[in-house]
PDB file of all heavy atoms in Angstrom:
ATOM      1  N   ALA A   1      -4.402 130.116 147.150  1.00 91.00           N
ATOM      2  CA  ALA A   1      -3.738 130.754 148.284  1.00 91.00           C
ATOM      3  C   ALA A   1      -2.247 130.858 147.973  1.00 91.00           C
ATOM      4  O   ALA A   1      -1.617 129.888 147.587  1.00 91.00           O
ATOM      5  CB  ALA A   1      -3.955 129.931 149.550  1.00 91.00           C
ATOM      6  N   ALA A   2      -1.693 132.057 148.140  1.00 90.00           N
ATOM      7  CA  ALA A   2      -0.287 132.245 147.779  1.00 90.00           C
ATOM      8  C   ALA A   2       0.285 133.459 148.477  1.00 90.00           C
ATOM      9  O   ALA A   2      -0.412 134.443 148.734  1.00 90.00           O
ATOM     10  CB  ALA A   2      -0.133 132.406 146.268  1.00 90.00           C
ATOM     11  N   THR A   3       1.580 133.366 148.806  1.00 89.00           N
ATOM     12  CA  THR A   3       2.315 134.513 149.370  1.00 89.00           C
ATOM     13  C   THR A   3       3.494 134.903 148.498  1.00 89.00           C
ATOM     14  O   THR A   3       3.977 136.023 148.579  1.00 89.00           O
ATOM     15  CB  THR A   3       2.819 134.170 150.774  1.00 89.00           C
ATOM     16  OG1 THR A   3       3.633 132.999 150.697  1.00 89.00           O
ATOM     17  CG2 THR A   3       1.647 133.916 151.727  1.00 89.00           C
ATOM     18  N   ALA A   4       3.980 133.982 147.671  1.00 90.00           N
ATOM     19  CA  ALA A   4       5.117 134.280 146.795  1.00 90.00           C
ATOM     20  C   ALA A   4       5.129 133.281 145.647  1.00 90.00           C
ATOM     21  O   ALA A   4       4.637 132.158 145.761  1.00 90.00           O
ATOM     22  CB  ALA A   4       6.429 134.203 147.568  1.00 90.00           C
ATOM     23  N   ALA A   5       5.711 133.713 144.530  1.00 89.00           N
ATOM     24  CA  ALA A   5       5.757 132.850 143.347  1.00 89.00           C
ATOM     25  C   ALA A   5       6.575 131.596 143.602  1.00 89.00           C
ATOM     26  O   ALA A   5       6.320 130.551 143.006  1.00 89.00           O
ATOM     27  CB  ALA A   5       6.341 133.626 142.166  1.00 89.00           C
ATOM     28  N   THR A   6       7.530 131.686 144.526  1.00 89.00           N
ATOM     29  CA  THR A   6       8.428 130.544 144.745  1.00 89.00           C
ATOM     30  C   THR A   6       7.728 129.317 145.296  1.00 89.00           C
ATOM     31  O   THR A   6       8.308 128.238 145.316  1.00 89.00           O
ATOM     32  CB  THR A   6       9.557 130.957 145.704  1.00 89.00           C
ATOM     33  OG1 THR A   6       8.980 131.527 146.893  1.00 89.00           O
ATOM     34  CG2 THR A   6      10.472 131.976 145.038  1.00 89.00           C
ATOM     35  N   GLN A   7       6.484 129.455 145.799  1.00 91.00           N
ATOM     36  CA  GLN A   7       5.793 128.284 146.316  1.00 91.00           C
ATOM     37  C   GLN A   7       5.201 127.423 145.202  1.00 91.00           C
ATOM     38  O   GLN A   7       4.733 126.318 145.458  1.00 91.00           O
ATOM     39  CB  GLN A   7       4.697 128.697 147.298  1.00 91.00           C
ATOM     40  CG  GLN A   7       3.451 129.311 146.658  1.00 91.00           C
ATOM     41  CD  GLN A   7       2.449 129.736 147.706  1.00 91.00           C
ATOM     42  OE1 GLN A   7       2.643 130.707 148.407  1.00 91.00           O
ATOM     43  NE2 GLN A   7       1.371 128.975 147.808  1.00 91.00           N
ATOM     44  N   PHE A   8       5.185 127.949 143.947  1.00 92.00           N
ATOM     45  CA  PHE A   8       4.678 127.166 142.827  1.00 92.00           C
ATOM     46  C   PHE A   8       5.849 126.525 142.093  1.00 92.00           C
ATOM     47  O   PHE A   8       6.929 127.113 141.969  1.00 92.00           O
ATOM     48  CB  PHE A   8       3.889 128.067 141.871  1.00 92.00           C
ATOM     49  CG  PHE A   8       2.673 128.695 142.520  1.00 92.00           C
ATOM     50  CD1 PHE A   8       2.645 130.063 142.808  1.00 92.00           C
ATOM     51  CD2 PHE A   8       1.568 127.932 142.872  1.00 92.00           C
ATOM     52  CE1 PHE A   8       1.558 130.639 143.412  1.00 92.00           C
ATOM     53  CE2 PHE A   8       0.478 128.499 143.486  1.00 92.00           C
ATOM     54  CZ  PHE A   8       0.457 129.852 143.754  1.00 92.00           C
ATOM     55  N   PRO A   9       5.667 125.292 141.607  1.00 93.00           N
ATOM     56  CA  PRO A   9       6.790 124.573 140.990  1.00 93.00           C
ATOM     57  C   PRO A   9       7.226 125.180 139.671  1.00 93.00           C
ATOM     58  O   PRO A   9       6.418 125.682 138.887  1.00 93.00           O
ATOM     59  CB  PRO A   9       6.208 123.162 140.791  1.00 93.00           C
ATOM     60  CG  PRO A   9       4.747 123.371 140.698  1.00 93.00           C
ATOM     61  CD  PRO A   9       4.423 124.501 141.626  1.00 93.00           C
ATOM     62  N   ILE A  10       8.532 125.129 139.445  1.00 91.00           N
ATOM     63  CA  ILE A  10       9.093 125.574 138.162  1.00 91.00           C
ATOM     64  C   ILE A  10       8.702 124.566 137.083  1.00 91.00           C
ATOM     65  O   ILE A  10       8.751 123.357 137.291  1.00 91.00           O
ATOM     66  CB  ILE A  10      10.616 125.689 138.264  1.00 91.00           C
ATOM     67  CG1 ILE A  10      10.993 126.799 139.261  1.00 91.00           C
ATOM     68  CG2 ILE A  10      11.241 125.968 136.900  1.00 91.00           C
ATOM     69  CD1 ILE A  10      12.460 126.817 139.600  1.00 91.00           C
ATOM     70  N   SER A  11       8.281 125.059 135.925  1.00 90.00           N
ATOM     71  CA  SER A  11       7.930 124.180 134.808  1.00 90.00           C
ATOM     72  C   SER A  11       9.205 123.849 134.030  1.00 90.00           C
ATOM     73  O   SER A  11       9.625 124.583 133.141  1.00 90.00           O
ATOM     74  CB  SER A  11       6.897 124.847 133.886  1.00 90.00           C
ATOM     75  OG  SER A  11       6.615 124.008 132.780  1.00 90.00           O
ATOM     76  N   TYR A  12       9.794 122.728 134.412  1.00 90.00           N
ATOM     77  CA  TYR A  12      11.024 122.343 133.740  1.00 90.00           C
ATOM     78  C   TYR A  12      10.760 121.963 132.274  1.00 90.00           C
ATOM     79  O   TYR A  12      11.626 122.117 131.408  1.00 90.00           O
ATOM     80  CB  TYR A  12      11.680 121.173 134.477  1.00 90.00           C
ATOM     81  CG  TYR A  12      12.159 121.545 135.851  1.00 90.00           C
ATOM     82  CD1 TYR A  12      11.465 121.149 136.990  1.00 90.00           C
ATOM     83  CD2 TYR A  12      13.310 122.328 136.030  1.00 90.00           C
ATOM     84  CE1 TYR A  12      11.892 121.510 138.251  1.00 90.00           C
ATOM     85  CE2 TYR A  12      13.743 122.693 137.305  1.00 90.00           C
ATOM     86  CZ  TYR A  12      13.024 122.271 138.395  1.00 90.00           C
ATOM     87  OH  TYR A  12      13.457 122.627 139.636  1.00 90.00           O
ATOM     88  N   ALA A  13       9.556 121.471 132.013  1.00 88.00           N
ATOM     89  CA  ALA A  13       9.225 121.119 130.625  1.00 88.00           C
ATOM     90  C   ALA A  13       9.216 122.365 129.741  1.00 88.00           C
ATOM     91  O   ALA A  13       9.726 122.361 128.619  1.00 88.00           O
ATOM     92  CB  ALA A  13       7.870 120.419 130.573  1.00 88.00           C
ATOM     93  N   VAL A  14       8.624 123.459 130.247  1.00 88.00           N
ATOM     94  CA  VAL A  14       8.615 124.703 129.475  1.00 88.00           C
ATOM     95  C   VAL A  14      10.039 125.216 129.304  1.00 88.00           C
ATOM     96  O   VAL A  14      10.421 125.678 128.222  1.00 88.00           O
ATOM     97  CB  VAL A  14       7.723 125.762 130.172  1.00 88.00           C
ATOM     98  CG1 VAL A  14       7.883 127.114 129.492  1.00 88.00           C
ATOM     99  CG2 VAL A  14       6.259 125.337 130.130  1.00 88.00           C
ATOM    100  N   GLU A  15      10.836 125.137 130.392  1.00 88.00           N
ATOM    101  CA  GLU A  15      12.221 125.588 130.270  1.00 88.00           C
ATOM    102  C   GLU A  15      12.974 124.757 129.222  1.00 88.00           C
ATOM    103  O   GLU A  15      13.757 125.297 128.440  1.00 88.00           O
ATOM    104  CB  GLU A  15      12.907 125.481 131.628  1.00 88.00           C
ATOM    105  CG  GLU A  15      12.472 126.552 132.607  1.00 88.00           C
ATOM    106  CD  GLU A  15      13.393 126.649 133.802  1.00 88.00           C
ATOM    107  OE1 GLU A  15      14.042 125.644 134.141  1.00 88.00           O
ATOM    108  OE2 GLU A  15      13.477 127.741 134.385  1.00 88.00           O
ATOM    109  N   ALA A  16      12.714 123.444 129.241  1.00 89.00           N
ATOM    110  CA  ALA A  16      13.372 122.602 128.243  1.00 89.00           C
ATOM    111  C   ALA A  16      12.932 122.958 126.834  1.00 89.00           C
ATOM    112  O   ALA A  16      13.737 122.999 125.895  1.00 89.00           O
ATOM    113  CB  ALA A  16      13.075 121.126 128.531  1.00 89.00           C
ATOM    114  N   LEU A  17      11.611 123.263 126.685  1.00 87.00           N
ATOM    115  CA  LEU A  17      11.106 123.646 125.361  1.00 87.00           C
ATOM    116  C   LEU A  17      11.722 124.964 124.903  1.00 87.00           C
ATOM    117  O   LEU A  17      12.102 125.123 123.738  1.00 87.00           O
ATOM    118  CB  LEU A  17       9.573 123.767 125.414  1.00 87.00           C
ATOM    119  CG  LEU A  17       8.886 124.245 124.128  1.00 87.00           C
ATOM    120  CD1 LEU A  17       9.177 123.278 122.981  1.00 87.00           C
ATOM    121  CD2 LEU A  17       7.393 124.390 124.340  1.00 87.00           C
ATOM    122  N   VAL A  18      11.823 125.911 125.846  1.00 85.00           N
ATOM    123  CA  VAL A  18      12.427 127.201 125.498  1.00 85.00           C
ATOM    124  C   VAL A  18      13.865 127.015 125.051  1.00 85.00           C
ATOM    125  O   VAL A  18      14.322 127.598 124.061  1.00 85.00           O
ATOM    126  CB  VAL A  18      12.345 128.169 126.699  1.00 85.00           C
ATOM    127  CG1 VAL A  18      13.170 129.419 126.432  1.00 85.00           C
ATOM    128  CG2 VAL A  18      10.905 128.553 126.966  1.00 85.00           C
ATOM    129  N   ARG A  19      14.577 126.171 125.818  1.00 85.00           N
ATOM    130  CA  ARG A  19      15.963 125.924 125.427  1.00 85.00           C
ATOM    131  C   ARG A  19      16.041 125.282 124.042  1.00 85.00           C
ATOM    132  O   ARG A  19      16.906 125.609 123.232  1.00 85.00           O
ATOM    133  CB  ARG A  19      16.634 125.031 126.472  1.00 85.00           C
ATOM    134  CG  ARG A  19      16.990 125.741 127.775  1.00 85.00           C
ATOM    135  CD  ARG A  19      17.943 124.893 128.597  1.00 85.00           C
ATOM    136  NE  ARG A  19      17.337 123.637 128.995  1.00 85.00           N
ATOM    137  CZ  ARG A  19      16.608 123.480 130.089  1.00 85.00           C
ATOM    138  NH1 ARG A  19      16.388 124.508 130.876  1.00 85.00           N
ATOM    139  NH2 ARG A  19      16.109 122.308 130.382  1.00 85.00           N
ATOM    140  N   LYS A  20      15.105 124.372 123.800  1.00 86.00           N
ATOM    141  CA  LYS A  20      15.123 123.675 122.518  1.00 86.00           C
ATOM    142  C   LYS A  20      14.849 124.643 121.375  1.00 86.00           C
ATOM    143  O   LYS A  20      15.504 124.611 120.317  1.00 86.00           O
ATOM    144  CB  LYS A  20      14.067 122.561 122.533  1.00 86.00           C
ATOM    145  CG  LYS A  20      14.260 121.514 121.455  1.00 86.00           C
ATOM    146  CD  LYS A  20      13.376 120.306 121.733  1.00 86.00           C
ATOM    147  CE  LYS A  20      13.646 119.212 120.725  1.00 86.00           C
ATOM    148  NZ  LYS A  20      12.844 118.001 120.995  1.00 86.00           N
ATOM    149  N   LEU A  21      13.865 125.540 121.580  1.00 84.00           N
ATOM    150  CA  LEU A  21      13.559 126.534 120.553  1.00 84.00           C
ATOM    151  C   LEU A  21      14.755 127.447 120.310  1.00 84.00           C
ATOM    152  O   LEU A  21      15.066 127.818 119.176  1.00 84.00           O
ATOM    153  CB  LEU A  21      12.332 127.355 120.974  1.00 84.00           C
ATOM    154  CG  LEU A  21      10.986 126.597 120.990  1.00 84.00           C
ATOM    155  CD1 LEU A  21       9.899 127.472 121.566  1.00 84.00           C
ATOM    156  CD2 LEU A  21      10.612 126.152 119.578  1.00 84.00           C
ATOM    157  N   LYS A  22      15.423 127.825 121.405  1.00 82.00           N
ATOM    158  CA  LYS A  22      16.592 128.690 121.251  1.00 82.00           C
ATOM    159  C   LYS A  22      17.702 127.961 120.487  1.00 82.00           C
ATOM    160  O   LYS A  22      18.374 128.557 119.639  1.00 82.00           O
ATOM    161  CB  LYS A  22      17.093 129.124 122.626  1.00 82.00           C
ATOM    162  CG  LYS A  22      16.197 130.149 123.321  1.00 82.00           C
ATOM    163  CD  LYS A  22      16.787 130.542 124.655  1.00 82.00           C
ATOM    164  CE  LYS A  22      15.919 131.611 125.332  1.00 82.00           C
ATOM    165  NZ  LYS A  22      16.464 131.987 126.644  1.00 82.00           N
ATOM    166  N   ASN A  23      17.856 126.683 120.800  1.00 80.00           N
ATOM    167  CA  ASN A  23      18.890 125.908 120.106  1.00 80.00           C
ATOM    168  C   ASN A  23      18.598 125.782 118.613  1.00 80.00           C
ATOM    169  O   ASN A  23      19.497 125.881 117.775  1.00 80.00           O
ATOM    170  CB  ASN A  23      18.996 124.514 120.729  1.00 80.00           C
ATOM    171  CG  ASN A  23      19.568 124.569 122.130  1.00 80.00           C
ATOM    172  OD1 ASN A  23      20.217 125.553 122.491  1.00 80.00           O
ATOM    173  ND2 ASN A  23      19.317 123.544 122.920  1.00 80.00           N
ATOM    174  N   ILE A  24      17.291 125.556 118.300  1.00 78.00           N
ATOM    175  CA  ILE A  24      16.907 125.464 116.888  1.00 78.00           C
ATOM    176  C   ILE A  24      17.189 126.777 116.167  1.00 78.00           C
ATOM    177  O   ILE A  24      17.724 126.813 115.053  1.00 78.00           O
ATOM    178  CB  ILE A  24      15.422 125.082 116.761  1.00 78.00           C
ATOM    179  CG1 ILE A  24      15.216 123.636 117.250  1.00 78.00           C
ATOM    180  CG2 ILE A  24      14.935 125.230 115.327  1.00 78.00           C
ATOM    181  CD1 ILE A  24      13.775 123.222 117.332  1.00 78.00           C
ATOM    182  N   GLN A  25      16.835 127.891 116.840  1.00 74.00           N
ATOM    183  CA  GLN A  25      17.046 129.215 116.242  1.00 74.00           C
ATOM    184  C   GLN A  25      18.541 129.464 116.007  1.00 74.00           C
ATOM    185  O   GLN A  25      18.955 129.971 114.957  1.00 74.00           O
ATOM    186  CB  GLN A  25      16.461 130.292 117.155  1.00 74.00           C
ATOM    187  CG  GLN A  25      16.597 131.700 116.586  1.00 74.00           C
ATOM    188  CD  GLN A  25      15.998 132.732 117.533  1.00 74.00           C
ATOM    189  OE1 GLN A  25      15.575 132.409 118.629  1.00 74.00           O
ATOM    190  NE2 GLN A  25      15.956 133.960 117.082  1.00 74.00           N
ATOM    191  N   GLN A  26      19.338 129.071 117.005  1.00 70.00           N
ATOM    192  CA  GLN A  26      20.783 129.269 116.860  1.00 70.00           C
ATOM    193  C   GLN A  26      21.352 128.410 115.727  1.00 70.00           C
ATOM    194  O   GLN A  26      22.235 128.842 114.975  1.00 70.00           O
ATOM    195  CB  GLN A  26      21.478 128.922 118.176  1.00 70.00           C
ATOM    196  CG  GLN A  26      21.184 129.924 119.282  1.00 70.00           C
ATOM    197  CD  GLN A  26      21.703 129.447 120.623  1.00 70.00           C
ATOM    198  OE1 GLN A  26      22.246 128.361 120.736  1.00 70.00           O
ATOM    199  NE2 GLN A  26      21.525 130.285 121.633  1.00 70.00           N
ATOM    200  N   THR A  27      20.791 127.201 115.591  1.00 69.00           N
ATOM    201  CA  THR A  27      21.262 126.310 114.531  1.00 69.00           C
ATOM    202  C   THR A  27      20.930 126.869 113.153  1.00 69.00           C
ATOM    203  O   THR A  27      21.722 126.791 112.206  1.00 69.00           O
ATOM    204  CB  THR A  27      20.644 124.920 114.702  1.00 69.00           C
ATOM    205  OG1 THR A  27      20.989 124.413 115.998  1.00 69.00           O
ATOM    206  CG2 THR A  27      21.165 123.953 113.637  1.00 69.00           C
ATOM    207  N   GLN A  28      19.706 127.456 113.049  1.00 66.00           N
ATOM    208  CA  GLN A  28      19.299 128.034 111.764  1.00 66.00           C
ATOM    209  C   GLN A  28      20.134 129.260 111.417  1.00 66.00           C
ATOM    210  O   GLN A  28      20.451 129.516 110.246  1.00 66.00           O
ATOM    211  CB  GLN A  28      17.809 128.412 111.814  1.00 66.00           C
ATOM    212  CG  GLN A  28      16.882 127.204 111.877  1.00 66.00           C
ATOM    213  CD  GLN A  28      15.444 127.599 112.082  1.00 66.00           C
ATOM    214  OE1 GLN A  28      15.144 128.733 112.481  1.00 66.00           O
ATOM    215  NE2 GLN A  28      14.530 126.672 111.812  1.00 66.00           N
ATOM    216  N   GLU A  29      20.486 130.047 112.424  1.00 64.00           N
ATOM    217  CA  GLU A  29      21.253 131.266 112.171  1.00 64.00           C
ATOM    218  C   GLU A  29      22.700 130.952 111.797  1.00 64.00           C
ATOM    219  O   GLU A  29      23.312 131.649 110.997  1.00 64.00           O
ATOM    220  CB  GLU A  29      21.226 132.165 113.408  1.00 64.00           C
ATOM    221  CG  GLU A  29      19.844 132.756 113.681  1.00 64.00           C
ATOM    222  CD  GLU A  29      19.823 133.535 114.987  1.00 64.00           C
ATOM    223  OE1 GLU A  29      20.844 133.471 115.710  1.00 64.00           O
ATOM    224  OE2 GLU A  29      18.829 134.181 115.262  1.00 64.00           O
ATOM    225  N   LYS A  30      23.204 129.859 112.372  1.00 62.00           N
ATOM    226  CA  LYS A  30      24.604 129.527 112.131  1.00 62.00           C
ATOM    227  C   LYS A  30      24.734 128.009 112.012  1.00 62.00           C
ATOM    228  O   LYS A  30      24.507 127.294 112.972  1.00 62.00           O
ATOM    229  CB  LYS A  30      25.461 130.038 113.293  1.00 62.00           C
ATOM    230  CG  LYS A  30      26.940 130.134 112.945  1.00 62.00           C
ATOM    231  CD  LYS A  30      27.667 130.902 114.045  1.00 62.00           C
ATOM    232  CE  LYS A  30      29.115 131.130 113.660  1.00 62.00           C
ATOM    233  NZ  LYS A  30      29.832 131.905 114.684  1.00 62.00           N
TER     234      LYS A  30
END
């Protein structure tokens, strides 16, 4: 049951993983 995406919790773990991957990529590039 749902009316909007905001009622589901944000996956902070995925966000942290994304940030980590971006940081690794940035480190490799420079």
Side-chain angles (χ1 to χ4, degrees):
T3 57
T6 53
Q7 74 182 73
F8 298 109
I10 295 170
S11 177
Y12 294 104
V14 171
E15 286 194 334
L17 176 60
V18 170
R19 285 194 297 273
K20 197 167 185 178
L21 291 174
K22 287 181 178 179
N23 291 340
I24 292 173
Q25 182 180 5
Q26 290 171 358
T27 302
Q28 291 174 343
E29 291 175 352
K30 198 169 186 178

